[in-house]
């Protein structure tokens, strides 16, 4: 398994008397992620044994497809959560982006690419407004994005007239999610993986990623170091919004319609994926790979329970318990490393 | 004939690397105010924390009303009737006065609270103390002085025999102070013993029945009311002997002024602070806690808003509204609280060193080129002799001295010309202190200009070319090192009121 924090051997060679602090911390950083990964493997093995219908190409493809939308949302919100913030507006925001894409493509009859970009930019605009509300007006992220969640939900209903906007007539739109550039792999899944690689690069290799961790570790120390933390927070929320926009385009393509009443609840699934993946709600710690694994755990769990014919009602109970266990092991580990 | 209430004898306490208290003693009688004085770090707070059960003493006895008592927790101190009123309030702002005073001890009938009984109890308590406040008033809406009254009333509701007040007047106006002192007189008449900690010399004669002086964790002596004489107290506080080590020369007045601050004021504390900093100079900022030294630094770098004042760098006025502006102009601030404000403790050494200069290692599309940055970090690790297993070690695991060096490296990497060090050696052990001193001197010799805020007078005297003394948000004195000594600095540092700014010629 690859890890986003790469430790190159020459870095350990500065003063070799005791390498324990470095490696110890390094290992501790990876524990939650490894735990998540182990959980995923255990789940896969368990369901494969429990049902012969589980580990089939079509079912695996189905699991991946159902991971795509929540996964894309989770990638974006990972950035926000690492800063110590939260973004509750991604679920209904995604719906608004889907509706706007529908409006651009059907009502306004714009070309496919323009409509898609318009939908994505709608998300970026929402993220930008969230960022301004948090960074400039100083609103708590929970409140600022809760408000945006309601605004987006309302606007999606108003703009669509509380009716689905059907997109089956738009040539090529369906292929965004359901086509297969790589045979056997739905494009939605491809988009998820490409975005995950992009997000990984941004988070671990760019100045934006570095400042994301810095703000989450100690915002005031970062500010006093001359980093314009307000500006960077606005950028980070805007990034989350961009991912929301992509998710909106993908879900509308998958359903071949923009469903204005869908979307609420997705934000909690995305946040749950991020947390199961080992990103700390307190900020300063997290990874894209973890988020991806977290999102997969959720879909595998739901899919597996469905295959075992367990009632939908119970599926939610199980997911809830998994979140509790994930967060509890994480806090246990932190308490131990603190003492 | 006064009766003895509290007798403390032979108290010692050490922390890793520091002897905080050594064989300290004092006595407190009923109906008496004992004022405890000493410089920052003399051991006053440690002593009070032992009395109130926050620290455990290593040695010594505490006798209350002639009986030896064991105080091992804040709860047992409370049970013995020893109550401390902290500088920072411990009240819940959204609750009423009555709810605050009897929190955890509310009169109840079954599962229901008896609010009327609570308010009546509080009204009686307040009346007994002559405090004119409504039990139903919300604490957060009271002035600081009134909140303090509530704290005192709360302490007395526990049947306090000994009341410890830590700098109670630091946030009070003149008339509020009078009210507080009247309350103290009343408590004395009721036979309570009061330990009063204060930095303000003008209060000493007014309130004290006796003064006990501590210095460097040692008991220096006690003076009775008739013997209290301010110069004598200051002499006892700073000691007659100052290690006459190597003292820096006065600054070269011919060197250019790098930083010029004029009429800097903030809404809360600072009043018309003006000074100049020359190239290659270490300018010491002395003063007691709360004098406004940190606030000056924060206002200069734009971390806190200011109401007036201009900052010029190399003769050009600059517009600084946020720390990013200060850094762009080459001004770096090393906070007194490294862990809270200086470092990303959970991140590695490399991230911390490069935090302020990350742009230099970032290309046009935002990718950080880690190789070059790590090379830079390694250079600083070796030149500043930062002891760390590797540059990817978590900063949290480094010692205080090495953490401080990481912060220094951060600003050197950013190539700042003006460095503001706020308590550069706080929490650092003696050997590492020496290294930090040498480092500061070397930086100044290399042409950096340094402001060093310090509460340790020997440190100020040892390193500064020039010394600025602050009190109550104003600059009260400016002294060339050659003419400075601890007594002169203390004289300026304890100045209150609107005296003229003093200079020693």
């Amino acid at each position: 398994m690859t890890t986003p924090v790469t430790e190159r051997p020459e870095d350990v060679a500065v003063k070799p008397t005791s390498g324990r602090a470095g490696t110890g911390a390094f290992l501790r950083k990876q524990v939650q992620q490894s735990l998540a990964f182990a959980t995923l493997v255990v789940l896969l093995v368990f369901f494969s044994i429990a049902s012969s219908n589980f580990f089939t190409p079509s079912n695996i493809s189905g699991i991946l497809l159902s991971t795509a939308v929540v996964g894309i949302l989770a990638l974006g919100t990972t950035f926000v959560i690492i800063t110590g913030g939260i973004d509750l507006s991604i679920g209904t925001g995604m719906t608004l982006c889907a509706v706007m894409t529908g409006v651009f493509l059907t009502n306004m009859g714009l070309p496919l690419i323009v409509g898609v970009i318009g939908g994505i930019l709608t998300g970026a605009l929402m993220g930008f407004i969230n960022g301004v509300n948090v960074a400039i007006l100083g609103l708590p992220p929970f409140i600022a994005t809760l408000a945006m969640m309601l605004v987006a939900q309302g606007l999606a209903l108003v703009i669509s007239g509380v009716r689905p906007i059907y997109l089956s007539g738009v040539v090529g739109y369906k292929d965004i999610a359901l086509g297969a550039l790589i045979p056997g792999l739905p494009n939605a899944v491809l988009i998820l993986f490409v975005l995950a690689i992009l997000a990984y690069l941004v988070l671990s290799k760019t100045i934006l990623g570095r400042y994301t961790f810095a703000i989450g570790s100690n915002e005031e120390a970062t500010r006093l170091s001359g980093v314009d933390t307000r500006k960077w927070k606005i950028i980070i929320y805007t990034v989350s919004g961009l991912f929301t926009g992509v998710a909106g385009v993908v879900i509308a393509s998958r359903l071949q319609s923009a469903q204005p009443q869908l979307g609420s609840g997705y934000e909690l699934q995305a946040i749950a994926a991020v947390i199961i993946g080992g990103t700390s709600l307190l900020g300063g710690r997290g990874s894209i790979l973890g988020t991806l694994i977290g999102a997969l755990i959720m879909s595998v769990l739901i899919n597996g329970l469905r295959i075992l014919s367990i009632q939908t009602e119970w599926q939610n109970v199980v997911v809830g318990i998994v979140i509790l266990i994930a967060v509890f092991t994480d806090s246990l580990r932190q308490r131990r490393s603190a003492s | 004939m006064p009766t003895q209430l509290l007798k403390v004898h032979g108290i010692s306490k050490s922390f890793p690397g520091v002897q905080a208290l050594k064989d300290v003693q004092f006595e407190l009688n009923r109906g008496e105010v004992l004022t405890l004085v000493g410089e920052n770090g003399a051991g006053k707070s440690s002593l009070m924390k032992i009395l109130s059960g926050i620290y455990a003493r290593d040695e010594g006895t505490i006798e209350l009303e002639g009986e030896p008592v064991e105080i091992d927790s804040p709860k047992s101190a409370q049970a013995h009737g020893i109550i401390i009123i902290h500088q920072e309030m411990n009240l819940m702002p959204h609750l009423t006065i009555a709810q605050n005073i009897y929190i955890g001890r509310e009169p109840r009938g079954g599962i229901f609270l008896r609010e009327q009984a609570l308010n009546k109890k509080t009204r009686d308590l307040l009346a007994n103390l002559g405090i004119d406040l409504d039990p139903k008033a919300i604490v957060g809406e009271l002035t600081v002085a009134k909140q303090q009254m509530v704290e005192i009333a709360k302490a007395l509701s526990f049947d306090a025999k000994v009341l410890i007040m830590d700098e109670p007047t630091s946030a009070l106006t003149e008339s509020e102070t009078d009210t507080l002192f009247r309350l103290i007189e009343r408590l004395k008449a009721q036979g309570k013993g009061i330990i009063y900690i204060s930095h303000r010399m003008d209060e000493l004669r007014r309130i004290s029945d006796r003064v006990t002086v501590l210095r460097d964790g040692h008991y220096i002596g006690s003076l009775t009311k008739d013997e209290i004489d301010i110069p004598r107290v200051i002499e006892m506080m700073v000691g007659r002997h100052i290690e006459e080590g190597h003292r820096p020369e006065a600054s070269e007045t011919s060197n250019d002024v790098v930083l010029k601050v004029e009429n800097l004021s903030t809404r809360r504390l600072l009043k018309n602070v003006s000074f100049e900093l020359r190239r290659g100079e270490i300018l010491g900022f002395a003063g007691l806690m709360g004098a406004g030294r940190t606030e000056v630094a924060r206002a200069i770098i734009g971390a806190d808003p200011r109401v007036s004042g201009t900052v010029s760098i190399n003769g050009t006025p600059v517009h600084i509204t946020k720390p990013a502006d200060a850094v762009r102009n080459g001004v770096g601030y090393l906070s007194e609280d490294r862990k809270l404000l200086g470092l990303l403790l959970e991140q590695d050494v490399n991230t911390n060193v490069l935090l302020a200069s990350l742009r230099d290692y970032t290309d046009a599309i935002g990718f950080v080129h880690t190789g070059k940055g790590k090379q830079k970090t390694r250079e600083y690790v070796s030149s500043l002799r930062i002891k760390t297993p590797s540059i990817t070690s978590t900063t949290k695991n480094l010692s205080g001295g090495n953490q401080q060096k990481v912060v220094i490296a951060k600003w050197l990497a950013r190539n700042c010309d003006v460095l503001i060090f706020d308590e550069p050696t706080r929490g650092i052990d003696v050997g590492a202190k020496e290294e930090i001193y040498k480092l500061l001197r070397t930086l100044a010799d290399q042409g950096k200009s340094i402001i060093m805020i310090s509460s340790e007078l020997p440190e100020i005297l040892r390193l500064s070319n020039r010394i600025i003394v602050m009190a109550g948000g104003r600059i009260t004195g400016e002294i060339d090192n050659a003419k400075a000594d601890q007594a002169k600095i203390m004289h300026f540092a304890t100045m209150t009121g609107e005296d003229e700014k003093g200079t020693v010629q």
Side-chain angles (χ1 to χ4, degrees):
Chain A
M1 174 187 144
T2 52
T3 53
V5 185
T6 50
E7 178 148 326
R8 302 223 314 265
E10 71 262 27
D11 299 327
V12 199
V14 176
K15 190 165 173 289
T17 45
S18 89
R20 277 190 55 209
T23 358
F26 173 73
L27 282 178
R28 242 178 287 127
K29 249 187 220 170
Q30 309 308 319
V31 168
Q32 181 69 24
Q33 224 176 77
S34 327
L35 264 178
F37 185 69
T39 310
L40 180 60
V41 171
V42 167
L43 285 176
L44 286 174
V45 170
F46 173 78
F47 286 125
S48 304
I49 295 170
S51 165
S52 56
N53 296 328
F54 179 78
F55 210 83
T56 61
S58 70
N59 191 46
I60 294 297
S61 171
I63 289 176
L64 290 175
L65 187 58
S66 68
T67 312
V69 170
V70 169
I72 291 168
L73 289 176
L75 291 177
T77 206
T78 302
F79 285 82
V80 170
I81 293 179
I82 291 175
T83 67
I86 194 90
D87 191 347
L88 298 174
S89 68
I90 52 178
T92 59
M94 172 186 78
T95 309
L96 180 58
C97 293
V99 167
M100 289 309 291
T101 310
V103 169
F104 292 144
L105 291 177
T106 57
N107 302 27
M108 298 169 79
L110 294 173
L112 183 65
I113 183 76
V114 178
V116 167
I117 290 175
I120 295 173
L121 289 184
T122 306
L125 179 65
M126 279 188 292
F128 177 78
I129 295 170
N130 281 333
V132 169
N133 287 341
V134 170
I136 308 289
L137 303 186
L139 297 179
F142 189 94
I143 307 296
T145 59
L146 179 70
M148 180 58 76
M149 168 178 148
L150 295 171
V151 168
Q153 190 169 35
L155 284 181
L157 293 171
V158 170
I159 292 170
S160 66
V162 206
R163 275 187 305 271
I165 302 175
Y166 291 101
L167 290 154
S168 37
V170 180
V171 178
Y173 190 71
K174 178 185 169 189
D175 292 338
I176 291 175
L178 300 175
L181 282 178
I182 299 170
L185 191 71
N187 281 347
V189 180
L190 187 65
I191 291 173
L192 171 66
F193 287 148
V194 169
L195 286 181
I197 291 167
L198 263 176
Y200 163 73
L201 287 176
V202 170
L203 192 59
S204 59
K205 301 285 180 203
T206 69
I207 195 161
L208 172 62
R210 210 59 70 82
Y211 286 162
T212 304
F213 281 107
I215 289 170
S217 294
N218 191 337
E219 183 168 345
E220 185 63 7
T222 306
R223 185 175 81 102
L224 290 177
S225 297
V227 177
D228 192 344
T229 47
R230 291 175 159 194
K231 181 182 91 183
W232 288 103
K233 275 163 79 175
I234 293 175
I235 294 175
I236 290 163
Y237 278 88
T238 307
V239 166
S240 175
L242 277 172
F243 281 85
T244 307
V246 175
V249 170
V250 170
I251 197 165
S253 163
R254 211 183 100 193
L255 304 174
Q256 292 174 54
S257 61
Q259 300 282 345
Q261 275 152 331
L262 200 85
S264 116
Y266 274 70
E267 68 282 340
L268 296 180
Q269 283 190 47
I271 292 167
V274 174
I275 292 166
I276 291 173
T279 295
S280 166
L281 269 182
L282 300 175
R285 211 159 44 82
S287 73
I288 291 299
L289 185 66
T291 294
L292 207 52
I293 294 171
L296 283 171
I297 287 179
M298 304 245 305
S299 337
V300 165
L301 203 58
I302 290 170
N303 177 280
L305 293 171
R306 199 173 293 156
I307 282 188
L308 296 184
S309 309
I310 291 173
Q311 289 167 312
T312 329
E313 295 77 3
W314 284 105
Q315 292 167 11
N316 283 339
V317 175
V318 173
V319 172
I321 291 171
V322 167
I323 293 172
L324 277 183
I325 294 171
V327 176
F328 176 68
T329 51
D330 189 39
S331 70
L332 207 64
R333 189 177 58 80
Q334 284 195 48
R335 252 179 279 163
R336 215 175 300 140
S337 75
S339 63
Chain B
M1 181 66 198
T3 51
Q4 197 175 76
L5 182 60
L6 183 70
K7 183 176 175 180
V8 169
H9 190 76
I11 297 278
S12 295
K13 172 76 186 170
S14 61
F15 297 103
V18 196
Q19 181 84 40
L21 294 170
K22 181 75 187 159
D23 199 17
V24 171
Q25 64 187 68
F26 72 83
E27 288 168 25
L28 175 70
N29 294 328
R30 279 186 205 287
E32 183 184 66
V33 174
L34 170 73
T35 306
L36 203 58
V37 295
E39 287 183 72
N40 299 333
K44 302 176 304 248
S45 305
S46 301
L47 184 58
M48 291 309 110
K49 281 180 177 161
I50 286 174
L51 271 183
S52 55
I54 298 168
Y55 291 163
R57 63 187 185 276
D58 298 338
E59 283 171 60
T61 53
I62 300 172
E63 283 177 32
L64 189 66
E65 298 174 312
E67 300 281 324
V69 290
E70 209 41 63
I71 295 171
D72 49 15
S73 68
K75 215 171 168 96
S76 73
Q78 214 171 62
H80 287 299
I82 300 175
I83 312 270
I84 188 162
I85 294 164
H86 291 278
Q87 254 168 308
E88 61 279 9
M89 303 278 171
N90 286 314
L91 296 170
M92 284 137 282
H94 299 106
L95 301 186
T96 67
I97 293 178
Q99 287 163 352
N100 262 286
I101 290 179
Y102 289 103
I103 185 89
R105 302 173 290 158
E106 298 85 353
R108 291 191 303 186
I111 59 161
F112 294 105
L113 292 168
R114 293 172 52 216
E115 207 68 17
Q116 283 188 349
L118 174 72
N119 289 334
K120 171 156 192 333
K121 222 168 143 174
T122 309
R123 202 169 297 118
D124 294 347
L125 176 75
L126 293 175
N128 185 29
L129 294 172
I131 300 173
D132 183 25
L133 285 176
D134 177 7
K136 286 182 274 190
I138 300 292
V139 161
E141 293 167 5
L142 303 176
T143 62
V144 176
K146 286 178 176 161
Q147 291 187 12
Q148 205 162 40
M149 299 288 172
V150 175
E151 282 265 27
I152 294 172
K154 183 177 174 183
L156 292 164
S157 73
F158 285 98
D159 273 328
K161 294 175 189 138
V162 177
L163 207 58
I164 303 169
M165 296 187 191
D166 191 359
E167 297 242 27
T169 56
S170 59
L172 301 192
T173 64
E174 204 57 40
S175 71
E176 289 169 339
T177 303
D178 289 343
T179 315
L180 176 70
F181 284 0
R182 275 201 298 278
L183 176 60
I184 291 177
E185 288 302 326
R186 205 172 167 124
L187 299 175
K188 277 168 67 174
Q190 294 178 3
K192 312 285 183 197
I194 291 149
I195 301 174
Y196 189 95
I197 299 175
S198 180
H199 278 314
R200 293 172 65 168
M201 291 296 138
D202 53 337
E203 287 176 7
L204 270 192
R205 287 179 64 89
R206 219 173 127 194
I207 188 89
S208 326
D209 295 299
R210 200 152 28 143
V211 174
T212 289
V213 183
L214 297 183
R215 184 172 76 231
D216 300 332
H218 290 74
Y219 171 79
I220 301 304
S222 294
L223 301 174
T224 60
K225 196 175 181 86
D226 314 329
E227 298 169 326
I228 298 173
D229 168 50
I230 305 298
R232 188 168 166 198
V233 173
I234 290 184
E235 194 183 292
M236 288 169 79
M237 281 166 68
V238 298
R240 234 180 295 257
H241 306 289
I242 306 159
E243 331 75 85
E244 279 294 335
H246 172 74
R247 293 265 294 265
E249 315 258 305
S251 324
E252 289 286 337
T253 44
S254 57
N255 281 359
D256 354 327
V257 172
V258 177
L259 174 76
K260 183 171 179 163
V261 174
E262 288 164 291
N263 293 319
L264 188 66
S265 299
T266 60
R267 204 160 53 84
R268 286 201 160 182
L269 187 62
L270 301 182
K271 290 177 213 73
N272 293 320
V273 170
S274 304
F275 67 91
E276 293 180 348
L277 174 69
R278 293 177 183 281
R279 185 172 309 286
E281 175 183 49
I282 297 183
L283 179 62
F285 262 68
L288 297 164
M289 294 219 209
R293 296 165 300 163
T294 298
E295 286 76 4
V296 168
R298 289 181 60 94
I300 290 174
I301 63 156
D304 293 333
R306 50 174 180 257
V307 291
S308 75
T310 52
V311 174
S312 310
I313 305 230
N314 296 321
T316 321
V318 289
H319 187 63
I320 294 177
T321 54
K322 53 181 184 286
D325 299 334
V327 172
R328 206 173 307 121
N329 286 294
V331 181
Y333 170 63
L334 292 85
S335 159
E336 61 184 318
D337 194 334
R338 277 189 300 283
K339 298 192 171 172
L340 212 60
L341 303 175
L343 288 166
L344 313 178
L345 284 175
E346 301 288 341
Q347 306 292 333
D348 63 17
V349 172
N350 185 51
T351 303
N352 274 288
V353 170
L354 299 181
L355 182 59
S357 53
L358 205 53
R359 288 266 185 206
D360 300 344
Y361 309 100
T362 308
D363 62 22
I365 50 169
F367 278 89
V368 179
H369 292 268
T370 43
K372 228 169 46 171
K374 282 181 174 172
Q375 190 49 45
K376 196 81 184 166
T377 304
R378 279 194 210 97
E379 275 169 39
Y380 283 115
V381 165
S382 77
S383 67
L384 302 184
R385 292 197 288 155
I386 301 175
K387 290 202 191 76
T388 173
S390 90
I391 63 166
T392 50
S393 299
T394 308
T395 315
K396 192 171 61 178
N397 299 329
L398 269 53
S399 72
N402 285 304
Q403 288 182 349
Q404 181 66 295
K405 288 183 186 173
V406 169
V407 182
I408 294 174
K410 172 171 79 183
W411 292 115
L412 295 180
R414 187 63 171 81
N415 212 6
C416 282
D417 283 333
V418 177
L419 296 169
I420 307 176
F421 287 86
D422 198 347
E423 305 284 358
T425 62
R426 174 168 293 170
I428 291 175
D429 63 54
V430 184
K433 265 188 188 178
E434 205 58 38
E435 269 195 81
I436 301 281
Y437 292 157
K438 286 203 188 105
L439 191 55
L440 289 185
R441 185 34 68 197
T442 314
L443 292 174
D445 291 344
Q446 288 168 358
K448 304 277 184 199
S449 308
I450 294 173
I451 292 174
M452 182 186 68
I453 299 169
S454 175
S455 296
E456 292 182 40
L457 289 184
E459 186 169 290
I460 289 271
L461 286 169
R462 176 168 166 178
L463 283 173
S464 320
N465 300 104
R466 206 149 50 89
I467 299 160
I468 282 178
V469 190
M470 290 190 70
R474 298 176 313 122
I475 291 181
T476 51
E478 185 179 328
I479 323 170
D480 271 340
N481 191 326
K483 295 164 187 146
D485 59 39
Q486 299 204 17
K488 276 188 193 133
I489 294 175
M490 281 309 278
H491 168 72
F492 288 128
T494 52
M495 262 190 180
T496 47
E498 297 293 315
D499 322 291
E500 275 302 295
K501 170 181 162 181
T503 42
V504 173
Q505 296 306 324

